[in-house]
Every structure is written in structure tokens, then in C-alpha cells.
Amino acid sequence: MTSPRRSLWALALVSLATVGFETTLTRYFAVAKWSEYGYWVISIVMAGFALSGVVMALARDAFARRGPALLAALPAVLVATAAVGFHYTTTNPFNPLQLQNPATWQPQVWNIAGYYSALLPFFFAAGLFVGLSFILNDRQVPRVYAFDLVGAGAGALLVLALMYVLHPFDLVPALLPALAVAAVFAPRARLAAVAAALVALAGAEGLLLADNQAAFNDFKAIYAPLHTPGARVVAERRSPRGDYMLLDDFTERVDTDVSNNAGLLNLPGPPQTYGLYRDGNRVAALPKPGPLDLGYAAAGLDALPYALIPHARVLVAGASGGFRAMLPLALGAATVDALEPEPTLRDAVAHGLGPAPPLAHDRRLRLLAASPLDVSGIGGPYDVIDLSADYLDAAEDNAAAYTVEAIAADLRALRPGGLLSLPVSIRDFPVYALRVLATARAALLAVGTTDPAAHVIVYRSAWNVRLLLSPTRFDGARIAAARAWCDARSFDVSYYPGIDPAALRANIYNDLPAVSFSRGEVTAEGADDAIADEARAVLAGRPTPSGADFSLAPETLDRPFYYAALRLDRLGTILRRVEILPQPEIGALVNLAVLAQAAILALIVLLVPLLAPSRVRAAPGVVARAVVYFPALGLGFLFIEITAIERASLYLGDRANAFALVLTGMLIFSGLGSLLAGRARGPWRMVLPAAGVVVLWCAAAALGATPALLASLDWPFVVRAGLVLLAIAPVSVALGTFFPLGLAQAGPTGFLPWAWGLNGAFSVVATPLANLLAREAGFDRVLIAAALLYVLAAVAFPLSRREHSWLQTASHAAD
């Protein structure tokens, strides 16, 4: 039985809205909560799809008889469940901080269950719609899959466009009409079904527009200043990168680390500013109208390089609303090249934002959009390369500036005797300074330094650390000048060549005691400097006490995770100390939690055939192969997609556009591959070449992607975006052939919906597993794993000699 051709347009519309809703929910968690919790959305989506496959497999005869009627009725159900699910998501009182507290975590587990209860019905119903579309068109599986993928790609593009005009909290109402229109194209569409969809749409829009309770939770950085007397939002800007709000509040000042001795030095404190927030997190201070006030500059922790090298030629990464771009000039620098790859921040500096004025023109300053990985093509050599303290958090991809490759490139761009200044916050853990120090050591070795310890000075305040690296060994005069400068400002020098840590303890300005993470106890007596205790060992490559509890592995472009200090093999210790973990480190634990529940779901779906042993006996060979084939596809496809998104984010310097470009490109090209699969005369003849393409592509990407990326970073954005699409096209076409070919073979055995659910279940496993594998071993290993999975899929292809339809099989079983 084949449904009318127009029913495939209904499938495309449902896929469009489903992917759009998934993306919208991810944005909601990023804005209202923290982005790490967006992983739940992926889990809920694929769980709904997998469970729908389970239900259809167990009740195949009923779905065979009522399939067309269900497709006509489901659009109204989808509209209603999307609206109700989002409404209850926004009213859920989940608090991530309480989840980390041993005394308050239990109610939060129920709140997490509440998210699943609210959202699972929609994705279950969407899975039913997609699965039924395959069942009712089981002789046109490649064509159905192509419509599904192209619709999903269109959904990703639509949400990307909507983000420029709508707040993330207002996106869902814009997606619901697509679901209602799907009722018009559904097979056997009747007036009653269309009317039900329109009534559901009216009620859903009324609920979401009249009672939208989405809001920032009270732990977001913007919450407190936004609710102080007189606070007001003076400008907003929306984009796929985030929702930007400029806040005027008496608490907003330049976020810089200034000496406690500023008064003794006759220097003022930081001036009042506007605060710029993205998704509720503060990213920069923007100046108020009038001359830029930099009187505090000489008292800042970041001013030392300019005291050691007067009249320097400077490269600054991160303009910090204009303050850090001009600070070197205020300290006597000759010229400044200021890199600001974050488009909204760069535009605010160049053209202003709301009442915040643009930076005054100065012929000594250039504002550039280049990546810090491309310093060699900017115009050096430089005397000073300086990363702003807020650069790391200004954009997710800025963490690449702390990789071995980036630091090595910076060192090569310095003149002999030049200085690279790297900031590290130690508000959470001093271990971050040690990990950056280990990365700096690897970079110094990479540029040919034989004794890295001779090229490093580390100094700090109570809350922040600065690492000074030089391609030239630090001599006694320079070390003495740095120490005198720090003494005048009550900053501590934690390391310099020849330091005596024991003698250092007699004159510590800012006590930083060593604390055992596992025991939660101070391990030193009297004043201490935990960084000084271990710096020499780290620079020598020797084991340290912190290495027992934390990972000090250098950050690389293959493992570009700044917040990856936790050692997951010490999970018991981590869970005992979860209340003190920094928020960015929670992402790994969320991945572990999602992986655990995904594994349980996958096991349940795998065991479904055991509930129908007669069907297993009817086609044991096909079923046994399908148990391997579809999980391998679910894992392998997302392994490649996640790696491609990560590489494209770094290449384009824009995670939002990279995500949309890769996701849309892979879906559309995979749809093309599915159409090609429909023309295959022999499935086996297409599977083997497609597997070869995947293996060769993964090998080429693992070996050549990083060098190619670094060689073309300075090319125009449009050209780079085109190259991303060109790069993912061949593998995406190949990937698009596997699923429809396998599904067409599984269909005649009566296991088509089960195979659909099996693929969905292991897609749930794939996302957290890929993230954890990349965190621990790198993205190249993720690609190698993907290649092996597709080889396994090719070997296990469920080839069947039977050529009758799933509906015929179900009908015969009913007879």
C-alpha cells in the first residue's frame, strides 16, 4: 500500500518543525539555564523516536490497519503536545545549583523527570509520524528518507533565520503552523482532521503567547544586576550566536583585576560602564559616553608586559568593549592590533551599541576580525601578544587560543625577547593555571625550546594568574624588574627561573593554600602558594599532586576543551565534591548521565525482538545483522556530524553558523544520497563503495583537516563556508545511502519500525559518547571510530532475498 505522493510533503513539514523545535529547546536551555543542559534535549528527542519504533514494532498489525488515519490525526496531536510541553518546560523549577548540593539534589531529579514528561509526548508522536511514513511507503524508503532529511535541513535553516528577529523564548509559536499545515497533506486528509489541527493551533498559540513564562533563572549572571533598583536594558541584539542585552546598572564596571595598592599608586579604580550580556552571561563592559577612562591601567594585573617592554608593538586578542584595545596605548605601546572575532563585540567597538559609543578613531590602533590561530598572517612580528582576561568567555570557540598550536603560533610571531601574556582565572580551581602551564610547556617544546622552564614567569593576584612566555630565556635583570613591579602592587610571583618556593612563602601577599580535592582539606601549614608548589614540576614534565585528582593534559586543537580538568576515572571523588565544581565542568557529568540512560534505552530497544520470537525465527539472519547494522549507523553518523561541526566552528569562528551550515548541508546531501540509493540495482553494490568513501573521508579528515584549516584561516568567510560544504558533501552523500538501503531490507521481515527505533536509540547514545570520547582522546579518534563503525555496518548489511512489503507481512500475520 502506498500513500499519495503529497503525503511526503506532510513528512517534510513535520521533520521541519521537529528539528526546529529541538533547536529551539536547546536555545531555551542555553538562555534560561546553562547550555550544558541542552544535552537533555537530544536525549529526549531520540528517546521519543526510539520508543515510537518499539511501540510500532510490538503493535505492527494495528499500525498497518490504521496508518493513514493516524497520519491524518497526528498533526493536531503534535501541535498540542509541542505547546503544552514547552509551557510546562518553562514553568519547571529546575535549579542546576541545587542539583550540585547534596542537601537539595533529590527534588531536582524529579524536575529533570518533569522535562522528560513534558517533552517526550511530542517527540514520540513525531517519531510515530515519521515511522508510519516509512511503513506506508515501504517500497519507496529512499524517497521517503530524502523528504525526511530535506525537511529537517529546512527546519534548521528556518530556525537560524528566525533567531535574527525573535527572542529564543518566542520561537515555538512560529514553528507550530508548519505542523498544522501537515494535516492538509496527510493521506486521507479529511475536513475533520484539518479542523482539529487548526483548533489545536489556535489553542496552542493562545497558550504560548498569553502565558509565556520563560525567563532567566536566578542563578544566571544577569539576574541580580537586572533586578537592582534603576537597572534597565538599553539595547538588545538578536542573532543565532545568542541574545545580547546591554544593561545600565550602577554595579557595572570594567571587569579587571586591579591592585589593592592602587590608592598608594595614586591610581583610580575602574570606571562605570554598561554591561553586555549574551544569553544572560556577561561577556564585556562597554564604555559610557565621553572620553574612555583608562586611568586604572597601570594598576592592573595585565600591565606588566608594557612595563617590561616600553613602546611595544602589540597584538591584543579580545577588545573587551574597547577598553583592552586602548589599554596598551595608555601604557605607552606604539601600535596595537586588536583581534575581536566575536562579531557583535566587534561591531559594538567599531560602531557602538545603543547608547554605548564607538571607540574613538586612533591611527595607532587596528581592529581586526582575524582568528588568534592566524597571527602569522596579521602583520607581526610583535613585541607583546596579550590575551584579554575576558577573551575566553566571550565566545565558545575562543578556547582554541589556549591550545598548543595557538600558543606555538604566538611564540613564532614574537620578536626575540617578546612576551606572550596568558590570563587564567583561579576563582574556581588553581589547577587551571597548572594545566595552561602544561600546555605552554608543550608549545615551547614545539617551537624548539630545549628548556621551557627558563622561558616562563608566572604571577598572580588572589583571583587571577598571568603567564608570561618568551621565545628568549628570561635573564636576571628582567626577572628582578618583574618582581619589583609585582611587589609594588602586592601581586605574587609564583614562578620564575631559579625560584625557591620555600623562601617565597615568607612574603606572600595573597594566600593561596593547597587544598586536597579528594579530602577537601588544606594540605599546607601557614601562608602558601599552591601554584608555586607545583609549577617547577609541571614545567619539567614531572608528576604533581594535582595530577592525581585532575587532568593536566595540554589542550590541543584535537582536544580543544579548556574546561576539562576533571579526571572521569575518579568519578566517585567527583560526585563527593560535586558542590564545588565549576559550572563549565558540569557538562561532562551531564554527558555521563545522558549516556547512562541512553544505554538503558538502547538495551530495551535491542530486546524488543525477543518479545516476538516467531518473527526472529522467520528471519534470524536478517535480524541478527540488523542488531549490528542500525546501531552502527546511529553511532557513526553522529560521530561524523559532531566532529564536522567542531571543525567548522573553529574554521569559521562562528559556532552558530557552523552548526547550521554543517547540519543543513549533511541533511540535504544525505537526502541526495538516499535518492541515489533508490536507484541502486543491487543494495550490496552500493553499500561497499559507500563504506569506502566514508573510510577514506574519515582518514583524510583525521590526517589533513587541521593543517588545511590553519593554512586557509585568512580566506574570506564566504569562501571558507563554501569549502565546508564542499568538504562534507561526499561523505554526506555516502552516509545517506546506508539507512534507506538497510531499512528497505529490514522492512520485508516485519522489523521496519524496530529498525527505525534501533537507529534512534543508538543515536541517543552517540551524542554523549562522542563528546566524552573527544574530551578524553580527541576528535581524530572519534573519526577513526566512525570509520570502523561503517566498516562494521557494511559487513553486517542485512541482505534479504524476500521482496514483499512490510504491510503484506503484517497482513499475512493478521490472517
Side-chain angles (χ1 to χ4, degrees), residues 21 36 94 125 130 133 169 221-222 234 247 317 333 344 381 390 408 449 484 522 619 639 710 759 773 789 791 803:
F21 190 41
E36 288 79 9
F94 172 71
V130 177
S133 297
F169 296 162
I222 197 174
V234 293
L247 188 63
T344 301
D390 57 8
T449 300
V522 176
F639 278 16
L710 294 174
N759 181 265
L773 181 59
L789 285 164
V791 170
E803 295 297 336

Side-chain angles (χ1 to χ4, degrees), residues 45 106 233 282 284 317 374 407 471 514 553 561 569 612 702 710 755 772 791 799:
V45 171
Q106 289 180 323
V233 176
R282 196 171 190 274
D374 187 37
I407 295 174
F561 304 101
D569 59 345
L710 294 174
L772 290 168
V791 170
L799 192 63

Side-chain angles (χ1 to χ4, degrees), residues 280-576:
N281 299 310
R282 196 171 190 274
V283 292
L286 297 189
K288 294 209 165 186
L292 197 66
D293 183 358
L294 295 167
Y296 63 91
L301 187 71
D302 47 10
L304 176 56
Y306 308 104
L308 297 179
I309 305 180
H311 313 297
R313 187 179 185 192
V314 179
L315 175 68
V316 172
S320 302
F323 287 96
R324 286 291 284 127
M326 294 297 293
L327 182 140
L329 296 177
L331 294 172
T335 62
V336 176
D337 287 343
L339 305 185
E340 188 51 86
E342 214 285 352
T344 301
L345 283 174
R346 184 173 64 254
D347 187 64
V349 173
H351 306 293
L353 178 61
L359 196 63
H361 173 73
D362 191 310
R363 59 182 179 80
R364 299 170 296 171
L365 171 68
R366 290 196 303 168
L367 183 64
L368 306 172
S371 165
L373 293 171
D374 187 37
V375 293
S376 61
I378 293 173
Y382 296 98
D383 298 302
V384 174
I385 297 179
D386 185 3
L387 267 67
S388 299
D390 57 8
Y391 181 73
L392 176 65
D393 296 324
E396 190 173 354
D397 298 308
N398 287 356
Y402 285 83
T403 60
V404 171
E405 295 87 345
I407 295 174
D410 289 338
L411 290 168
R412 294 188 186 101
L414 287 172
R415 289 173 174 162
L419 296 173
L420 169 61
S421 179
L422 298 173
V424 185
S425 172
I426 54 173
R427 291 176 183 271
D428 295 311
F429 291 144
V431 73
Y432 290 120
L434 298 177
R435 188 161 181 255
V436 174
L437 197 59
T439 305
R441 175 182 182 271
L444 285 163
L445 291 172
V447 298
T449 300
T450 57
D451 181 15
H455 298 254
V456 179
I457 290 177
V458 182
Y459 67 105
R460 66 176 183 85
S461 67
W463 307 110
N464 297 285
V465 170
R466 280 272 169 176
L467 277 64
L468 291 187
L469 312 180
S470 178
T472 306
R473 297 171 68 96
F474 283 108
D475 57 25
R478 234 180 188 190
I479 293 170
R483 293 182 64 187
W485 187 91
C486 289
D487 282 338
R489 291 159 178 78
S490 296
F491 296 141
D492 293 289
V493 182
S494 297
Y495 176 81
Y496 57 83
I499 191 173
D500 181 356
L504 183 73
R505 293 192 184 97
N507 190 29
I508 289 179
Y509 298 107
N510 305 282
D511 189 25
L512 185 64
V515 179
S516 169
F517 179 70
S518 58
R519 301 193 306 273
E521 299 174 352
V522 176
T523 59
E525 296 182 2
D528 190 28
D529 187 328
I531 297 171
D533 293 341
E534 301 187 45
R536 285 197 302 180
V538 170
L539 287 169
R542 300 194 304 267
T544 69
S546 291
D549 289 317
F550 299 100
S551 170
L552 300 184
E555 184 184 349
T556 66
L557 289 179
D558 188 43
R559 296 174 60 193
F561 304 101
Y562 181 89
Y563 293 106
L566 297 181
R567 285 184 50 176
L568 298 183
D569 59 345
R570 306 292 299 273
L571 186 59
T573 300
I574 293 170
L575 293 178
R576 287 195 303 271

